[in-house]
Amino acid sequence: MTEEFPQGKMPYEPEPFWRESTQVHSFSPLTIDTEVDVAIVGGGITGITTGYLLSKQGMKVAILEADQILNGTTGHTTAKITAQHGLIYDEFIQHLGEEKTKQYYQANADALELIRKTVGELQIECDLTEEDAYIYAISDQYAKKVMKEYEAYQKLGIHSEFVDHIPFSIDIKGATVMKAQSQFHPLKYLKVLVDEIVKAGGEIYEKTTATDIDETTPKPMVITREGRRVTCKYAIACSHFPFFDGKGFYFSRLHAERSYILGITAKQDFPGGMYYSADSPTRSLRYTPMNGEKLILVSGDGHKTGQGTSTHKHYKALEQFAEDVFGIEEIKYRWSAQDLYTLDKVPYVGPITSNKPNILVATGYRKWGMTNGTAAAQLLADLVLEKENAYEELYSPSRFYADPSIKKFLTQNLDVAGHLIEGKIDIADKRIEDIGSDEGSVVVVNGKRAGCYKDKDGNINLVDTTCTHMGCEVEWNSGDRSWDCPCHGSRFSVTGDVLEGPAKKPLKKVDM
């Protein structure tokens, strides 16, 4: 696809409000070998919260971040702190049973309480407010599912109600409300936790990419791209997609999805609350304070990474929805996020495999990382401190539920195989001269497939389109100007650098 953003209301560059509105400390790369109690790879909500909890208990931690802390999925979230994760509880009761479903709810409710408690103890100014969370249906088909979800809430003892309207010009068939949830500014919250880690003697390194773990030594050693080593008692992968697989075959048990967010000011006031549509394509709504006014976050239109229509059309769909519901004054921000899904929709948190108790992993939050990521941090900290945690079995990465895991595993990997084959036989029909300014596309160069991006000054970037993870062919993402892999969600910049894993190596350069 070569279609780009039209001139108009949409910001040219994707930039999350959270990052632009917060000054986060920067840290130097790791340049020498070091030894700590716990090495944490990934500087998002899970890594930082885990580091904070362990630092409080006197453990020395090191956090290694490939880019900048709080610039990955955490920096691109909608930042709802809620145990309402879409239409999930009725499904979980059917597949996991009522007891484990209740545990999932309670783990996320505990996470919400931990955030509230931490905000109070550290007196963090992070725009934390209590809000009800709505999931609504606009069709008869989904109205039945929303009612079933309400019935599941009742079975589980969740404080909730069923309503027949919401305070917007959206004609709904019903909504289930989870009461007394929250929202906040995630970076204002987490940057204070970062300060606490540093005060406790913790080490934080940016521009430090972890690539492997040496298991042959008495203690695990995390190895960086530059060959530096971090010796530790525990190594924890909180790097979105696990940087180390450890024969856990996570690439076959996870898939990546992208979703899109607009930050708008509107003609109509936002009444409060957090909203999520059950129908597809999903729509999510909340507000956040911005310079004395309300910035409304409109998000949704999710799809598998590297698959679907030209990505700027997803932004345009959200723009049309926002215009219809609120009347847009200005689109201040636009950005996208990437999230990982497990086979059964419950995150993987715990030992990376059953025989590696000192190497832990946390991944697969399914777009609900504020509570799932905090719950993961609590569990990880308890595992390191050898404390009992009621949710250890629920989140165990080694679990396997025949229903629905077998079906999902087969479907997911058939999809990967299909895209692998499709990419190899897809013949590019464009040449470099066909590409316009600020456009990208697959082209033919010297008789071979290549990825071409031509910037606004006419400079050409050519890369090999073969993903360095497992050999699938990447596709152009027009909305975010990146090369995305449809198989396992790796993303690369226009120059081929890795933006998101599981790929560790950049795309090869192609000569003209």
Side-chain angles (χ1 to χ4, degrees), residues 34-101:
T34 187
E35 183 168 354
V36 293
D37 293 318
V38 184
I40 300 168
V41 177
I45 189 167
T46 305
I48 288 171
T49 306
T50 303
Y52 167 71
L53 294 173
L54 291 172
S55 295
K56 281 180 66 177
Q57 298 301 314
M59 303 204 82
K60 185 173 182 182
V61 304
I63 297 176
L64 280 58
E65 169 55 49
D67 185 32
Q68 296 172 290
I69 60 169
L70 303 175
N71 194 36
T73 303
T74 296
H76 290 73
T77 179
T78 54
K80 294 177 178 179
I81 320 170
T82 177
Q84 186 188 75
H85 296 169
L87 293 175
I88 200 65
Y89 289 102
D90 179 61
E91 179 182 334
F92 277 177
I93 288 172
Q94 304 305 317
H95 291 151
L96 310 180
E98 195 169 316
E99 182 182 347
K100 281 189 167 59
T101 303

